[in-house]
Amino acid sequence: MSFNIAQRSRMHRLPPYVFAQVNALKMERRRAGEDIIDLGMGNPDIPTPKHIVDKLMEAAQKGHNHRYSASRGITRLRVAISDWYKRRYDVDIDPENEAVVTIGAKEGLSHLVLVLISPGDVVFAPNPTYPIHPYSAIIAGGDVRSIPISANSNFMEDLQQATKQTWPRPKALIISFPHNPTTAVVDLDFFKNIVDFAKENQMMVIHDLAYADLVFDGYEAPSFLQVPGAKDIGVEFFSLSKSYSMPGWRVGFCVGNPEMIAALTRIKSYLDYGVFQPIQIAAIIALNEDQSCVQDIVSIYKSRRDVLVDGLNRVGWTTEKPKATMFVWSRIPEPFRAMGSVEFSKFLIEEAKVAVSPGLGFGEYGDEYVRFALVENEMRTKQAIRGLRRALQKDNAQLAKTGTNS
């Protein structure tokens, strides 16, 4: 007896993973012995600061830390989270009712949406955007409406227009600023408008603040919860993955509206036993102790950003320097644009020996772009620029024609 799993489950609503095509070609070329510089996946390569690792090792030596932990996070970590918000943003967080530890922001966000969204509910999300933001709603059985995000669009105006045209009325808005992949940034007035809009339309807001610290050139990323009344309608996620270079540790948290926090806490009590306790203890150290390690990490990303963007512009690929995130979002050069982002990304692997993320993987409005991740050192980045120069000097017109007809 055979089963068509995709047709009998939620999987049929999940499209093929666009990045898989590019990843497959990358691995094929590496197996053939080619040196492919991978600027595709946003997987931080900077080691976790030593004092955090040392605390993990110390805590892991204690047998009582090997037992099941609390699914909502140990009390001391939730207190550290609350203290961190007060120091950073002057926002009061009740560690008992307004904070829950998650297994990274991705797990927490997807499970929160799963418990809040019912089949047929409408969720708004930017397009392009980080895939789990819209697809968390799809997995939950909801319907997603895309709000374009680009330098040429007005997000608030498009949001208001979409609301007028949508029935049933949207139940939630999922946003993330600084934004992945577009690197767009906002000020506190933007969040004030979001809060007013959400209250007027009785809509929940979920904000992913993953890149809170990865900011450059004097820009400071505000917290959504800094807006008075934000906790009435929304929550905010933060992950230690980027700020403290702890991606594989899988630890983050959600703070804000007590009812939404209670919903996430309840579903997690059925699904997991929480993050390994030594990791939670190390996370306390990360949040509470000297934050100079964060600035050291940010400085590395800034240097890499400058080398990459300066190099792209030098070889004729016009690109602006982002004010935040660990990414560079760049429009495909005009002669190659008709290829689309997937074919162009394949072309870069073949001709430049450089892997990037095709913009289509973040939504249809991203198909004229590719995303570079700042995950290689400056020497390797300069090597990538040399490869990109060779690729861009190919017969542009012929390559664009080939891509259009493929």
Side-chain angles (χ1 to χ4, degrees):
M1 185 175 182
S2 62
F3 297 96
N4 188 332
I5 298 296
Q7 293 303 316
R8 297 188 180 204
S9 70
R10 299 177 191 271
M11 282 178 60
H12 78 278
R13 298 192 67 198
L14 297 176
Y17 199 53
V18 170
F19 303 113
Q21 298 179 45
V22 176
N23 289 337
L25 180 59
K26 176 186 69 180
M27 295 310 299
E28 176 186 316
R29 289 293 176 262
R30 282 182 166 173
R31 284 193 293 269
E34 296 182 13
D35 179 19
I36 305 297
I37 300 173
D38 192 354
L39 302 178
M41 185 177 178
N43 190 359
D45 67 311
I46 303 169
T48 305
K50 184 177 183 299
H51 68 286
I52 301 173
V53 177
D54 287 346
K55 192 62 179 182
L56 170 72
M57 294 172 65
E58 175 191 318
Q61 294 296 325
K62 300 177 181 179
H64 63 268
N65 286 329
H66 300 175
R67 305 176 68 184
Y68 291 132
S69 188
S71 63
R72 66 172 182 155
I74 60 176
T75 301
R76 285 185 297 136
L77 178 51
R78 286 183 282 109
V79 169
I81 290 164
S82 301
D83 292 342
W84 186 85
Y85 256 87
K86 185 65 175 178
R87 290 194 306 271
R88 286 289 303 273
Y89 304 112
D90 196 25
V91 171
D92 293 313
I93 298 293
D94 180 348
E96 285 301 312
N97 301 310
E98 296 179 341
V100 58
V101 177
T102 59
I103 308 173
K106 189 174 183 179
E107 173 273 321
L109 190 147
S110 56
H111 281 144
L112 177 61
V113 174
L114 184 63
V115 78
L116 294 180
I117 298 303
S118 300
D121 285 342
V122 175
V123 174
F124 283 168
N127 186 332
T129 200
Y130 185 50
I132 195 57
H133 294 162
Y135 286 112
S136 61
I138 297 296
I139 292 169
D143 294 319
V144 177
R145 299 289 184 273
S146 294
I147 311 298
I149 180 169
S150 73
N152 301 319
S153 63
N154 185 307
F155 189 80
M156 286 305 306
E157 289 182 3
D158 290 339
L159 186 60
Q160 291 165 354
Q161 188 65 25
T163 304
K164 293 176 183 177
Q165 298 173 349
T166 299
W167 188 262
R169 302 306 289 254
K171 189 171 183 179
L173 168 67
I174 303 175
I175 52 177
S176 178
F177 294 100
H179 186 251
N180 175 17
T182 70
T183 74
V185 297
V186 298
D187 56 20
L188 194 57
D189 284 340
F190 174 86
F191 285 140
K192 289 177 181 176
N193 291 332
I194 289 289
V195 171
D196 291 343
F197 168 82
K199 288 187 174 184
E200 180 182 345
N201 291 279
Q202 299 182 315
M203 186 184 307
M204 294 179 289
V205 176
I206 300 172
H207 181 237
D208 186 351
L209 190 58
Y211 299 94
D213 293 298
L214 300 193
V215 294
F216 317 114
D217 306 331
Y219 173 72
E220 294 184 8
S223 163
F224 163 75
L225 296 180
Q226 286 178 278
V227 179
K231 283 196 289 187
D232 295 339
I233 45 84
V235 295
E236 188 162 73
F237 281 91
F238 179 80
S239 165
L240 278 71
S241 295
K242 312 304 188 302
S243 299
Y244 301 94
S245 205
M246 298 168 64
W249 298 53
R250 307 317 302 135
V251 59
F253 52 82
C254 180
V255 293
N257 180 268
E259 292 181 52
M260 296 171 71
I261 295 297
L264 178 54
T265 301
R266 185 173 182 182
I267 194 171
K268 282 178 63 62
S269 71
Y270 284 93
L271 295 174
D272 68 72
Y273 285 107
V275 178
F276 183 44
Q277 192 149 296
I279 291 177
Q280 295 191 57
I281 293 168
I284 295 170
I285 297 302
L287 294 173
N288 279 347
E289 295 200 355
D290 185 6
Q291 299 297 294
S292 61
C293 62
V294 178
Q295 291 310 310
D296 292 341
I297 290 167
V298 173
S299 294
I300 292 171
Y301 284 122
K302 181 180 183 299
S303 295
R304 292 177 178 182
R305 177 204 68 166
D306 292 345
V307 169
L308 176 62
V309 176
D310 289 346
L312 289 174
N313 285 299
R314 191 168 57 250
V315 301
W317 188 341
T318 303
T319 304
E320 293 186 7
K321 288 183 179 178
K323 291 184 178 180
T325 78
M326 55 180 288
F327 305 111
V328 171
W329 181 244
S330 188
R331 196 176 189 195
I332 298 170
E334 195 280 331
F336 301 87
R337 206 165 290 157
M339 298 174 73
S341 61
V342 175
E343 291 304 315
F344 181 66
S345 296
K346 292 179 181 179
F347 163 73
L348 291 185
I349 291 175
E350 297 276 14
E351 301 295 338
K353 311 307 177 190
V354 175
V356 298
S357 291
L360 183 62
F362 304 98
E364 61 270 25
Y365 293 137
D367 200 22
E368 290 190 350
Y369 293 79
V370 294
R371 191 195 73 178
F372 295 88
L374 303 173
V375 293
E376 286 282 5
N377 63 42
E378 293 180 26
M379 184 179 70
R380 291 281 281 173
T381 301
K382 290 176 181 177
Q383 180 183 338
I385 293 296
R386 292 193 292 271
L388 292 168
R389 176 192 286 116
R390 290 193 301 271
L392 296 179
Q393 288 174 346
K394 291 284 183 179
D395 184 348
N396 296 353
Q398 182 60 39
L399 284 167
K401 181 180 178 181
T402 302
T404 303
N405 295 332
S406 60

